[in-house]
Amino acid sequence: MLKVENLNVHYGVIHAIEDVNIEVRDGEIVTLIGANGAGKTTILHTITGLKKATSGAVTFDGTDLLKEQPSRIITHGVAHVPEGRHVFVDMTVRENLEMGAYMFGRKDKDKIAARMDNVFEKFPRLKERQNQLAGTFSGGEQQMLAVGRALMADPKIILMDEPSMGLSPLMVQEIFSIIKEVNAQGITVLLVEQNAKMALKVANRAYVLETGKIKLSGDAQELLHNDEVRKAYLGA
Ligand SMILES: Nc1ncnc2c1ncn2[C@@H]1O[C@H](COP(=O)(O)OP(=O)(O)O)[C@@H](O)[C@H]1O
Ligand SMILES: [Mg+2]
């Protein structure tokens, strides 16, 4: 479904991503784990066109995403939940969700209403507080809103950048159960995480990124029990 092939990305002379290959198949949860600065966000930004690749290919259902405008990526069914959530703090919950459906245009009111119902069903808390300003939300609630906003676009795949960052353990549990639920409804997930333990528990397959290179990859359960992974990422 999503294929990243021989990807290289630079920031000036810094070679941030080196010959990275990642494949995400339809219906999977694939996680990309790695320490701070490993290059996780750079890979997501390259997929969504926010950062230009030096070389390599990114294809989604056969479409060459590297040739697309960032604003057009979503029309192919690729939604991005950015690191740090980036909800619109001065807008209400409802307005934030509407922003997630901007590509449908104003004509498609029915579609937007149906997507909104779907999101409210999944997140009753967002429904209850739909007229509240997003800036008044807790970190966990903002993360839910960011996921809800991505779902408004009716995506085939969601790219999530460290959704658990800065959240309380209870909220982390909740976010990960939301990820599983979203996936169970047929949406493919590429999950970027520093929380390797939680990510490996929910994922089907995983890639371990170290200073811009894929160090290990494979079945998530196997990596959870891999000695190298345990020492470096699970504190065991
Ligand atoms: N805008 C930028 N300019 C220069 N270097 C950057 C920029 N963004 C990221 N980097 C560098 O690229 C590397 C990967 O960063 P990033 O993709 O943010 O890692 P991660 O998301 O895994 O924490 C780091 O060495 C970081 O310092
Ligand atoms: Mg990052």
Side-chain angles (χ1 to χ4, degrees), residues 55-210:
S55 63
V58 177
T59 50
F60 182 72
D61 282 345
T63 303
D64 182 354
L65 293 188
L66 296 184
K67 289 213 176 84
E68 283 288 352
Q69 295 288 329
S71 61
R72 297 258 320 144
I73 300 284
I74 188 73
T75 64
H76 294 287
V78 180
H80 180 206
V81 181
E83 183 176 324
R85 353 238 193 253
H86 290 279
V87 299
F88 303 103
V89 293
D90 296 328
M91 289 186 182
T92 65
V93 167
R94 175 175 274 278
E95 287 164 347
N96 267 274
L97 292 175
E98 283 166 354
M99 292 299 284
Y102 75 93
M103 78 297 294
F104 298 136
R106 287 179 191 284
K107 307 168 299 247
D108 233 341
K109 278 214 165 68
D110 291 349
K111 172 119 189 175
I112 295 171
R115 295 307 306 159
M116 188 87 71
D117 285 347
N118 175 285
V119 170
F120 283 158
E121 205 176 297
K122 201 167 277 114
F123 303 104
R125 207 168 340 181
L126 297 183
K127 184 175 186 177
E128 282 160 27
R129 305 188 188 180
Q130 56 183 285
N131 296 315
Q132 194 171 321
L133 291 181
T136 65
F137 266 24
S138 71
E141 289 164 342
Q142 289 191 8
Q143 189 62 57
M144 274 180 206
L145 178 55
V147 174
R149 184 179 55 188
L151 290 174
M152 287 297 291
D154 201 6
K156 295 182 192 146
I157 188 169
I158 297 193
L159 316 175
M160 295 197 198
D161 199 343
E162 301 212 36
S164 76
M165 193 199 276
L167 302 185
S168 67
L170 207 64
M171 208 23 108
V172 171
Q173 295 280 355
E174 194 164 340
I175 290 296
F176 277 95
S177 69
I178 287 166
I179 293 168
K180 275 194 276 189
E181 211 178 293
V182 164
N183 177 250
Q185 291 183 359
I187 300 174
T188 304
V189 177
L190 176 56
L191 171 67
V192 156
E193 266 295 342
Q194 271 192 70
N195 189 337
K197 193 174 188 174
M198 290 295 286
L200 289 173
K201 278 186 182 165
V202 300
N204 303 109
R205 290 187 306 110
Y207 293 84
V208 179
L209 189 70
E210 263 182 42

Side-chain angles (χ1 to χ4, degrees), residues 199-206 218-226:
L200 289 173
K201 278 186 182 165
V202 300
N204 303 109
R205 290 187 306 110
D219 179 83
Q221 295 313 304
E222 277 168 28
L223 287 178
L224 196 54
H225 298 104
N226 174 295

Side-chain angles (χ1 to χ4, degrees), residues 26-60:
D26 196 1
E28 282 188 311
I29 300 181
V30 171
T31 187
L32 175 63
I33 57 175
N36 194 20
K40 305 181 297 299
T41 297
T42 301
I43 291 175
L44 293 193
H45 281 180
T46 310
I47 294 170
T48 57
L50 297 171
K51 174 76 188 140
K52 286 269 168 274
T54 316
S55 63
V58 177
T59 50
F60 182 72

